[in-house]
Amino acid sequence: DAEQLQNSIAVATGGTPIKDPASAISMVTPLFPADVVWCEVTPLPGNMRQALFVRNNQMIHGKISGGTGKIQGATTADKVGEMFLAVVSRKPTEAEVARFVKYIDGHKSGGMEDAYWALMNTAEFLSRH
């Protein structure tokens, strides 16, 4: 539901969960057709509209930008591990580490933010959180 998505995004980006139904409702209003009655605890529709919403939401992009600064690690691989734990609550596989490190190191200006965004747009994040 909207509150779960809002709080999952907050936790995945280094924030803390909050109880703010008005904010949750305003965040997901575009997901529901005008003739549908819903509230902050109505299950999200889980359709293409939701996928596009998450990918294009400015609030989510802002949280990701702030969240990347909270990822600690001596190496890019360490940072990838921290990012996976924050976003999908698991350690990355060796193949995932290699793929993400290659991308982040190849895109110094914004690579970490792009990788974070990509991970938060996976079905694993959206369905587990």
Side-chain angles (χ1 to χ4, degrees):
D1 62 37
E3 285 186 319
Q4 289 171 324
L5 178 61
Q6 176 180 285
N7 287 327
S8 293
I9 292 165
V11 170
T13 57
T16 55
I18 59 170
K19 180 81 170 155
D20 186 358
S23 175
I25 286 172
S26 102
M27 180 180 75
V28 300
T29 294
L31 297 178
F32 294 95
D35 61 341
V36 173
V37 177
W38 62 279
C39 70
E40 73 277 6
V41 294
T42 301
L44 296 177
N47 55 21
M48 184 54 72
R49 184 182 280 183
Q50 180 179 337
L52 290 171
F53 164 78
V54 172
R55 284 170 175 74
N56 297 312
N57 186 282
Q58 290 303 313
M59 183 274 300
I60 296 172
H61 284 269
K63 293 227 182 240
I64 290 170
S65 293
T68 57
K70 296 176 183 172
I71 297 293
Q72 302 296 312
T75 66
T76 304
D78 292 341
K79 291 178 183 179
V80 168
E82 289 293 317
M83 180 178 63
F84 266 76
L85 288 171
V87 177
V88 292
S89 303
R90 68 170 176 85
K91 293 182 179 182
T93 65
E94 289 181 24
E96 289 168 331
V97 170
R99 185 173 70 238
F100 275 78
V101 166
K102 181 179 178 181
Y103 181 84
I104 293 167
D105 287 346
H107 298 85
K108 290 293 184 189
S109 65
M112 186 68 172
E113 189 172 315
D114 291 345
Y116 214 106
W117 180 85
L119 193 56
M120 286 188 66
N121 279 283
T122 63
E124 184 174 3
F125 173 75
L126 294 172
S127 65
R128 283 192 177 176
H129 297 83

